[in-house]
Amino acid sequence: WKYATSDSIRGTPVVLPSAFTGAESDYVYVGSDDGKVYALEIKDGALREGYPIDVGGAVRSELSYDFATNSVVGKTSKGRPISVKAGP
């Protein structure tokens, strides 16, 4: 499957199984130069409900998973930290 954002994707996505997050499915989280983080269902590329989330700046960093907060974290291209919930 493919999914088009409204701008380039330059950062590294993070793949999170539902066993980690408690979400209803396994998702890949990716940031875009359009200033949003997308959560796409691994099996079919469907956009997760409530996404994309606007984080106020291009996301070009590697995204990672913070177990303590059950969140996907990274930085905008200007260095501002971002955090979006990965769980239910």
Side-chain angles (χ1 to χ4, degrees):
W1 52 262
K2 293 182 182 181
Y3 189 90
T5 66
S6 61
D7 210 332
S8 299
I9 295 173
R10 300 177 197 233
T12 305
V14 63
V15 175
L16 294 176
S18 60
F20 282 12
T21 65
E24 65 281 357
S25 294
D26 302 333
Y27 290 95
V28 59
Y29 294 81
V30 62
S32 174
D33 277 358
D34 65 7
K36 297 175 183 157
V37 172
Y38 294 79
L40 305 168
E41 198 164 352
I42 290 175
K43 69 179 179 182
D44 60 10
L47 186 64
R48 183 176 179 182
E49 186 176 337
Y51 283 81
I53 295 176
D54 191 326
V55 294
V59 182
R60 295 183 181 167
S61 70
E62 176 179 338
L63 296 179
S64 59
Y65 179 64
D66 181 347
F67 282 92
T69 62
N70 196 20
S71 299
V72 173
V73 296
K75 292 184 179 182
T76 67
S77 61
K78 299 201 185 244
R80 188 172 73 84
I82 59 170
S83 176
V84 296
K85 281 293 192 189

